[in-house]
Amino acid sequence: METVTHGELAVLKRIQSNLEACILGKTDEILLLLTAMLAGGHVLLEDVPGTGKTVLIKALAKSIHGQFRRIQCNPDLLPTDITGVSIYHPKEEVFLFRPGPIMTHILLADEINRATTKTQSALLEAMEERHITVDGETHELPKPFLLLATQNPIDFEGTYILPEAQLDRFMMKFSMGYPDAETETRMIVSQSVSHPLDSLEPVAEVEQILAIQALVKQVHLDEAVANYLVSVIRLTRENPSIYLGASPRATLALVQAAKAYALLQGRDYVIPDDIKFLAPFVLGHRIILQAEARMEGATVGSVLQSVFQQVKVPVRLER
């Protein structure tokens, strides 16, 4: 197995530094986004407007020298507005495919819950299969392909709730949150003349990201750590406070995310702390609590915490 080299770590650190220059005080959120990208997963950002979601995603696309497209979702948006359409060419007497914005490396679907369910479903094939089908023809998406969707948690008018099947296809869900007073003051000073995003330079190439994604798959997952992860997943299905537990897809997503996060930390092996840190963001949106538990004040976070307390952490004894 190839190990993580200083070159790959240096690339990841440069990307992280680029993002931290644009979004101040959000180190954990930046690490989560990079983890999802390296693991080949998609991210759902749920937060109020103006917290820097779009800036973070643009900064990532700029940093890896990748193509970036943005879709502003609304009820009038059609599936072909995302995937593209075949147009008849009279001179050639053939249908030519005009690709939509989904044919890109990083796609931002802004306010995804404002799109109709039919339009939302157009993203499902792309998210899972990494290709789209238009008029019976299959078109492969560029590699890497990363979908980052946002939704506003406080706006319910004119929105369409994402079904569990679609939520399950997002590797992670997290929010940016408001900055603290000190960070917000630094933000004012740093952006008083120009926005850091304007002067951001690429620090990596798409090919380097693909090479690092291949390394992620080789990160070692010990059998004891794998058993620890599976025990956590299975307890979410057996816990009396949980109506719907984590799916097998969630198991695989947590494994890939843990491997990517380990690599970001400079390790070629997964430790239990990786799983514990990532679980709320990988499992949280896949778990539905019982109505009684919600009425008693339980949250997904508190229930997950109790689940981890029931599982014995594997410990390696050095001789």
Side-chain angles (χ1 to χ4, degrees), residues 46-111:
E46 184 176 71
D47 218 330
V48 295
T51 51
K53 302 184 293 289
T54 305
V55 172
L56 177 63
I57 296 163
K58 281 184 177 179
L60 178 62
K62 231 176 173 183
S63 296
I64 67 169
H65 213 184
Q67 297 174 351
F68 170 76
R69 297 288 184 274
R70 180 176 182 269
I71 303 168
Q72 182 60 53
C73 297
N74 58 67
D76 297 329
L77 194 72
L78 299 174
T80 50
D81 294 331
I82 296 174
T83 59
V85 65
S86 296
I87 299 176
Y88 184 71
H89 195 287
K91 189 174 180 181
E92 302 286 338
E93 295 186 346
V94 292
F95 283 92
L96 298 178
F97 175 61
R98 290 282 182 89
I102 204 167
M103 302 296 284
T104 186
H105 293 120
I106 296 181
L107 177 67
L108 169 60
D110 224 352
E111 295 183 299

Coordinates of all heavy atoms in Angstrom, one line a residue, residues 46-111:
E46 N -26.9 23.3 5.4 CA -28.1 23.9 5.9 C -27.8 25.0 6.8 O -27.3 24.8 7.9 CB -29.0 22.8 6.6 CG -30.4 23.3 7.0 CD -31.3 22.3 7.6 OE1 -31.0 21.9 8.7 OE2 -32.2 21.9 6.9
D47 N -28.2 26.2 6.4 CA -27.9 27.4 7.2 C -28.7 28.6 6.7 O -29.2 28.6 5.6 CB -26.4 27.7 7.2 CG -25.9 28.1 8.5 OD1 -26.6 28.8 9.3 OD2 -24.7 27.9 8.8
V48 N -28.7 29.6 7.6 CA -29.4 30.8 7.2 C -28.5 31.6 6.1 O -27.3 31.3 6.0 CB -29.5 31.7 8.4 CG1 -30.5 31.1 9.4 CG2 -28.2 32.1 9.1
P49 N -29.1 32.5 5.4 CA -28.4 33.2 4.3 C -27.3 34.0 4.9 O -27.4 34.5 6.0 CB -29.5 34.1 3.7 CG -30.8 33.5 4.0 CD -30.6 32.8 5.4
G50 N -26.2 34.2 4.1 CA -25.1 35.1 4.4 C -24.1 34.6 5.3 O -23.3 35.4 5.9
T51 N -24.0 33.3 5.5 CA -23.0 32.7 6.4 C -21.7 32.2 5.7 O -20.8 31.7 6.3 CB -23.5 31.6 7.3 OG1 -24.2 30.6 6.4 CG2 -24.5 32.1 8.3
G52 N -21.7 32.4 4.4 CA -20.4 32.1 3.6 C -20.4 30.8 2.9 O -19.4 30.3 2.5
K53 N -21.6 30.2 2.7 CA -21.7 28.9 2.1 C -21.2 29.0 0.6 O -20.3 28.2 0.2 CB -23.1 28.4 2.1 CG -23.8 28.2 3.5 CD -25.1 27.6 3.4 CE -26.2 28.5 2.7 NZ -26.5 29.7 3.5
T54 N -21.7 29.9 -0.1 CA -21.3 30.0 -1.5 C -19.9 30.4 -1.7 O -19.1 29.9 -2.6 CB -22.2 31.1 -2.2 OG1 -23.6 30.7 -2.0 CG2 -21.9 31.1 -3.7
V55 N -19.4 31.3 -0.8 CA -18.0 31.7 -0.9 C -17.0 30.5 -0.7 O -16.0 30.4 -1.4 CB -17.7 32.8 0.2 CG1 -16.2 33.2 0.2 CG2 -18.5 34.1 -0.2
L56 N -17.4 29.7 0.3 CA -16.6 28.5 0.6 C -16.5 27.6 -0.6 O -15.4 27.1 -0.9 CB -17.2 27.8 1.8 CG -16.5 26.5 2.2 CD1 -15.0 26.8 2.7 CD2 -17.2 25.8 3.4
I57 N -17.6 27.4 -1.2 CA -17.6 26.5 -2.4 C -16.9 27.0 -3.6 O -16.1 26.3 -4.3 CB -19.1 26.1 -2.7 CG1 -19.7 25.4 -1.6 CG2 -19.2 25.3 -4.0 CD1 -21.2 25.4 -1.6
K58 N -17.0 28.3 -3.8 CA -16.3 29.0 -4.9 C -14.8 28.9 -4.7 O -14.0 28.7 -5.6 CB -16.8 30.4 -5.0 CG -18.1 30.6 -5.8 CD -18.4 32.1 -5.9 CE -19.6 32.4 -6.7 NZ -20.0 33.8 -6.9
A59 N -14.4 29.2 -3.4 CA -13.0 29.1 -3.0 C -12.4 27.7 -3.3 O -11.3 27.6 -3.7 CB -12.8 29.5 -1.6
L60 N -13.2 26.7 -3.0 CA -12.7 25.3 -3.2 C -12.5 25.1 -4.7 O -11.4 24.5 -5.1 CB -13.7 24.3 -2.7 CG -13.3 22.8 -2.9 CD1 -12.0 22.5 -2.2 CD2 -14.4 21.9 -2.4
A61 N -13.5 25.5 -5.5 CA -13.3 25.3 -7.0 C -12.1 26.0 -7.5 O -11.4 25.5 -8.4 CB -14.6 25.7 -7.7
K62 N -11.9 27.3 -7.1 CA -10.8 28.1 -7.5 C -9.5 27.4 -7.1 O -8.5 27.5 -7.8 CB -10.9 29.5 -7.0 CG -10.8 30.6 -8.0 CD -11.0 31.9 -7.4 CE -10.7 33.0 -8.5 NZ -10.8 34.4 -8.0
S63 N -9.4 26.9 -5.9 CA -8.2 26.3 -5.3 C -7.7 25.1 -6.1 O -6.5 24.9 -6.2 CB -8.4 26.0 -3.9 OG -8.7 27.1 -3.1
I64 N -8.6 24.3 -6.6 CA -8.2 23.1 -7.3 C -8.2 23.3 -8.8 O -8.1 22.3 -9.6 CB -9.1 21.9 -6.9 CG1 -10.6 22.1 -7.5 CG2 -9.1 21.6 -5.4 CD1 -11.4 20.8 -7.3
H65 N -8.4 24.5 -9.3 CA -8.4 24.8 -10.7 C -9.5 24.0 -11.5 O -9.3 23.6 -12.6 CB -7.0 24.5 -11.3 CG -6.6 25.5 -12.4 ND1 -5.5 25.4 -13.2 CD2 -7.3 26.6 -12.9 CE1 -5.5 26.3 -14.1 NE2 -6.5 27.1 -13.9
G66 N -10.6 23.8 -10.8 CA -11.7 23.0 -11.4 C -12.8 23.9 -12.0 O -12.9 25.1 -11.7
Q67 N -13.6 23.3 -12.7 CA -14.8 24.0 -13.3 C -15.8 24.1 -12.2 O -16.1 23.2 -11.4 CB -15.4 23.2 -14.5 CG -14.4 23.1 -15.7 CD -15.0 22.2 -16.8 OE1 -16.0 21.5 -16.6 NE2 -14.3 22.2 -17.9
F68 N -16.5 25.3 -12.2 CA -17.5 25.5 -11.2 C -18.8 26.0 -11.9 O -18.7 26.9 -12.8 CB -17.0 26.6 -10.2 CG -18.1 27.1 -9.3 CD1 -18.5 26.3 -8.2 CD2 -18.6 28.4 -9.5 CE1 -19.5 26.8 -7.3 CE2 -19.6 28.9 -8.6 CZ -20.0 28.1 -7.6
R69 N -19.9 25.5 -11.5 CA -21.2 26.0 -12.0 C -22.2 26.1 -10.8 O -22.1 25.4 -9.8 CB -21.8 25.0 -13.0 CG -21.0 24.8 -14.3 CD -21.0 26.0 -15.2 NE -20.3 25.8 -16.4 CZ -19.0 26.0 -16.6 NH1 -18.3 26.4 -15.6 NH2 -18.5 25.7 -17.8
R70 N -23.1 27.0 -11.0 CA -24.1 27.3 -9.9 C -25.5 27.3 -10.5 O -25.7 27.8 -11.5 CB -23.8 28.7 -9.3 CG -24.7 29.1 -8.2 CD -24.3 30.4 -7.6 NE -25.1 30.9 -6.5 CZ -26.1 31.7 -6.6 NH1 -26.5 32.1 -7.8 NH2 -26.8 32.0 -5.5
I71 N -26.4 26.6 -9.7 CA -27.8 26.5 -10.1 C -28.6 27.2 -9.0 O -28.4 26.8 -7.8 CB -28.3 25.1 -10.2 CG1 -27.5 24.3 -11.2 CG2 -29.7 25.0 -10.6 CD1 -27.7 22.8 -11.2
Q72 N -29.4 28.2 -9.3 CA -30.3 28.8 -8.4 C -31.6 28.1 -8.5 O -32.3 28.2 -9.5 CB -30.4 30.3 -8.7 CG -31.3 31.0 -7.6 CD -30.8 30.9 -6.2 OE1 -29.6 31.2 -6.0 NE2 -31.6 30.4 -5.3
C73 N -31.9 27.2 -7.5 CA -33.1 26.4 -7.6 C -34.3 27.2 -7.3 O -34.3 28.1 -6.4 CB -33.0 25.2 -6.6 SG -31.7 24.1 -7.0
N74 N -35.4 27.0 -8.1 CA -36.7 27.6 -7.8 C -37.8 26.7 -8.4 O -37.4 25.7 -9.2 CB -36.7 29.0 -8.4 CG -36.4 29.0 -9.9 OD1 -37.2 28.4 -10.7 ND2 -35.3 29.6 -10.3
P75 N -39.0 26.9 -8.1 CA -40.1 26.0 -8.6 C -40.2 25.9 -10.1 O -40.8 25.0 -10.7 CB -41.4 26.6 -8.0 CG -40.9 27.3 -6.8 CD -39.6 27.9 -7.2
D76 N -39.7 26.9 -10.9 CA -39.7 26.9 -12.3 C -38.6 26.1 -13.0 O -38.7 25.9 -14.2 CB -39.7 28.4 -12.9 CG -40.9 29.2 -12.4 OD1 -42.0 28.6 -12.2 OD2 -40.7 30.4 -12.2
L77 N -37.6 25.7 -12.2 CA -36.5 25.0 -12.8 C -36.9 23.6 -13.3 O -37.6 22.9 -12.6 CB -35.4 24.9 -11.7 CG -34.0 24.4 -12.2 CD1 -33.3 25.6 -12.9 CD2 -33.1 24.0 -11.0
L78 N -36.5 23.3 -14.5 CA -36.8 22.0 -15.1 C -35.6 21.0 -15.0 O -34.5 21.5 -14.9 CB -37.2 22.1 -16.6 CG -38.5 23.0 -16.8 CD1 -38.6 23.2 -18.3 CD2 -39.7 22.3 -16.2
P79 N -35.8 19.7 -15.0 CA -34.7 18.8 -15.0 C -33.7 19.0 -16.1 O -32.5 18.9 -15.9 CB -35.4 17.4 -15.2 CG -36.7 17.6 -14.6 CD -37.1 19.0 -15.0
T80 N -34.2 19.4 -17.3 CA -33.3 19.6 -18.4 C -32.4 20.9 -18.2 O -31.4 21.1 -18.9 CB -34.0 19.8 -19.8 OG1 -35.1 20.7 -19.6 CG2 -34.6 18.4 -20.2
D81 N -32.9 21.8 -17.4 CA -32.1 23.0 -17.0 C -30.8 22.6 -16.3 O -29.9 23.4 -16.2 CB -32.9 24.0 -16.2 CG -34.1 24.6 -16.9 OD1 -34.0 24.7 -18.2 OD2 -35.1 24.9 -16.3
I82 N -30.8 21.4 -15.7 CA -29.7 20.9 -14.9 C -28.8 20.0 -15.8 O -27.6 20.1 -15.9 CB -30.1 20.2 -13.7 CG1 -30.9 21.2 -12.7 CG2 -29.0 19.5 -12.9 CD1 -31.5 20.5 -11.5
T83 N -29.5 19.0 -16.4 CA -28.8 18.0 -17.1 C -28.3 18.4 -18.6 O -27.3 17.9 -19.1 CB -29.6 16.7 -17.3 OG1 -30.8 17.0 -18.0 CG2 -30.0 16.2 -15.9
G84 N -29.1 19.3 -19.2 CA -28.9 19.6 -20.6 C -30.0 19.1 -21.4 O -30.8 18.3 -21.0
V85 N -29.9 19.3 -22.7 CA -30.9 18.9 -23.6 C -30.3 18.6 -25.0 O -29.3 19.1 -25.4 CB -32.0 20.1 -23.7 CG1 -31.4 21.3 -24.4 CG2 -33.2 19.6 -24.5
S86 N -31.0 17.7 -25.8 CA -30.6 17.4 -27.1 C -31.4 18.3 -28.1 O -32.6 18.4 -28.0 CB -30.9 16.0 -27.5 OG -30.1 15.1 -26.7
I87 N -30.7 19.0 -29.0 CA -31.3 20.0 -29.9 C -31.0 19.4 -31.3 O -29.9 19.0 -31.7 CB -30.7 21.4 -29.7 CG1 -31.0 21.9 -28.3 CG2 -31.2 22.3 -30.8 CD1 -30.4 23.2 -28.0
Y88 N -32.1 19.5 -32.1 CA -32.0 19.0 -33.5 C -31.2 20.0 -34.4 O -31.5 21.2 -34.4 CB -33.3 18.8 -34.1 CG -33.3 18.2 -35.5 CD1 -32.9 16.9 -35.7 CD2 -33.6 19.0 -36.6 CE1 -32.9 16.4 -37.0 CE2 -33.6 18.5 -37.9 CZ -33.2 17.2 -38.1 OH -33.2 16.7 -39.4
H89 N -30.2 19.5 -35.1 CA -29.3 20.3 -36.0 C -29.8 20.1 -37.4 O -29.5 19.0 -38.0 CB -27.9 20.0 -35.8 CG -26.9 21.0 -36.4 ND1 -26.7 21.2 -37.7 CD2 -26.1 21.9 -35.8 CE1 -25.8 22.1 -38.0 NE2 -25.5 22.6 -36.8
P90 N -30.5 21.0 -38.1 CA -31.0 20.8 -39.4 C -30.0 20.4 -40.5 O -30.2 19.6 -41.3 CB -31.7 22.1 -39.7 CG -31.9 22.8 -38.5 CD -30.8 22.4 -37.6
K91 N -28.9 21.1 -40.4 CA -27.8 20.9 -41.4 C -27.2 19.5 -41.3 O -27.0 18.8 -42.3 CB -26.7 22.0 -41.3 CG -25.8 22.0 -42.5 CD -24.8 23.1 -42.3 CE -23.8 23.2 -43.5 NZ -22.8 24.3 -43.4
E92 N -26.9 19.1 -40.1 CA -26.3 17.8 -39.9 C -27.4 16.7 -39.8 O -27.0 15.5 -39.9 CB -25.5 17.8 -38.6 CG -24.4 18.8 -38.5 CD -23.2 18.5 -39.3 OE1 -23.1 17.3 -39.6 OE2 -22.5 19.4 -39.7
E93 N -28.6 17.1 -39.6 CA -29.8 16.2 -39.5 C -29.5 15.2 -38.4 O -29.8 14.0 -38.5 CB -30.0 15.4 -40.8 CG -30.4 16.3 -42.0 CD -30.8 15.5 -43.2 OE1 -30.5 14.3 -43.3 OE2 -31.4 16.1 -44.1
V94 N -29.0 15.7 -37.3 CA -28.8 14.9 -36.1 C -29.2 15.7 -34.8 O -29.2 16.9 -34.9 CB -27.3 14.4 -35.9 CG1 -27.0 13.4 -37.0 CG2 -26.4 15.5 -35.9
F95 N -29.4 15.0 -33.7 CA -29.6 15.7 -32.5 C -28.2 15.9 -31.8 O -27.5 14.9 -31.6 CB -30.5 14.9 -31.6 CG -32.0 15.0 -31.9 CD1 -32.6 14.1 -32.8 CD2 -32.8 16.1 -31.4 CE1 -33.9 14.2 -33.2 CE2 -34.1 16.2 -31.8 CZ -34.7 15.3 -32.7
L96 N -27.9 17.1 -31.4 CA -26.7 17.4 -30.7 C -27.0 17.7 -29.2 O -27.9 18.4 -28.9 CB -26.0 18.6 -31.3 CG -25.6 18.5 -32.8 CD1 -24.9 19.8 -33.3 CD2 -24.6 17.3 -32.9
F97 N -26.2 17.1 -28.3 CA -26.4 17.3 -26.9 C -25.7 18.6 -26.4 O -24.6 18.8 -26.7 CB -25.7 16.1 -26.1 CG -25.8 16.3 -24.6 CD1 -27.0 16.4 -24.0 CD2 -24.6 16.3 -23.9 CE1 -27.1 16.5 -22.6 CE2 -24.6 16.5 -22.5 CZ -25.9 16.5 -21.9
R98 N -26.6 19.4 -25.8 CA -26.1 20.6 -25.2 C -26.0 20.4 -23.7 O -27.1 20.4 -23.0 CB -27.1 21.8 -25.5 CG -27.1 22.3 -27.0 CD -25.8 23.1 -27.2 NE -25.8 23.6 -28.6 CZ -26.4 24.7 -29.0 NH1 -27.1 25.5 -28.1 NH2 -26.4 25.1 -30.3
P99 N -24.8 20.3 -23.2 CA -24.7 19.9 -21.7 C -25.2 21.0 -20.8 O -25.0 22.2 -21.2 CB -23.2 19.7 -21.6 CG -22.5 20.4 -22.7 CD -23.5 20.3 -23.8
G100 N -25.8 20.6 -19.7 CA -26.3 21.6 -18.7 C -25.2 21.9 -17.7 O -24.0 21.4 -17.8
P101 N -25.5 22.7 -16.7 CA -24.5 23.0 -15.7 C -24.0 21.9 -14.9 O -22.9 22.0 -14.2 CB -25.2 24.0 -14.8 CG -26.7 23.8 -15.0 CD -26.8 23.3 -16.5
I102 N -24.6 20.7 -14.9 CA -24.2 19.6 -14.1 C -22.8 19.0 -14.6 O -22.1 18.3 -13.9 CB -25.3 18.5 -14.1 CG1 -25.1 17.6 -12.8 CG2 -25.3 17.6 -15.3 CD1 -26.2 16.7 -12.5
M103 N -22.5 19.3 -15.9 CA -21.3 18.8 -16.5 C -20.1 19.7 -16.0 O -19.5 20.5 -16.7 CB -21.3 18.8 -18.0 CG -22.5 17.9 -18.5 SD -22.3 16.2 -18.1 CE -21.1 15.7 -19.3
T104 N -19.7 19.5 -14.7 CA -18.7 20.3 -14.1 C -18.0 19.5 -13.0 O -18.5 18.5 -12.6 CB -19.3 21.6 -13.6 OG1 -18.3 22.5 -13.1 CG2 -20.3 21.4 -12.5
H105 N -16.9 20.1 -12.5 CA -16.3 19.4 -11.3 C -17.0 19.7 -10.0 O -17.2 18.8 -9.2 CB -14.8 19.9 -11.2 CG -14.0 19.4 -12.4 ND1 -13.3 20.3 -13.2 CD2 -13.7 18.2 -12.9 CE1 -12.7 19.7 -14.1 NE2 -12.9 18.4 -14.0
I106 N -17.4 20.9 -9.8 CA -18.0 21.3 -8.6 C -19.3 22.0 -8.9 O -19.3 23.1 -9.6 CB -17.1 22.2 -7.7 CG1 -15.9 21.4 -7.2 CG2 -17.9 22.7 -6.5 CD1 -15.0 22.2 -6.3
L107 N -20.4 21.5 -8.5 CA -21.8 22.1 -8.8 C -22.4 22.5 -7.5 O -22.5 21.8 -6.5 CB -22.7 21.0 -9.4 CG -24.1 21.5 -9.7 CD1 -24.1 22.5 -10.8 CD2 -25.0 20.3 -10.1
L108 N -22.8 23.8 -7.5 CA -23.5 24.4 -6.3 C -25.0 24.5 -6.7 O -25.4 25.2 -7.6 CB -23.0 25.8 -6.0 CG -23.8 26.6 -5.0 CD1 -23.9 25.9 -3.6 CD2 -23.2 28.0 -4.8
A109 N -25.8 23.7 -5.9 CA -27.2 23.8 -6.1 C -27.8 24.6 -4.9 O -28.0 24.1 -3.8 CB -27.9 22.4 -6.1
D110 N -28.0 25.9 -5.2 CA -28.4 26.8 -4.2 C -29.9 26.7 -3.9 O -30.7 26.7 -4.8 CB -28.1 28.3 -4.6 CG -27.4 29.1 -3.5 OD1 -27.4 28.6 -2.3 OD2 -27.0 30.2 -3.7
E111 N -30.2 26.6 -2.6 CA -31.6 26.4 -2.1 C -32.3 25.3 -2.8 O -33.3 25.4 -3.4 CB -32.4 27.7 -2.3 CG -31.8 28.9 -1.5 CD -32.7 30.2 -1.6 OE1 -32.8 30.7 -2.8 OE2 -33.2 30.6 -0.6

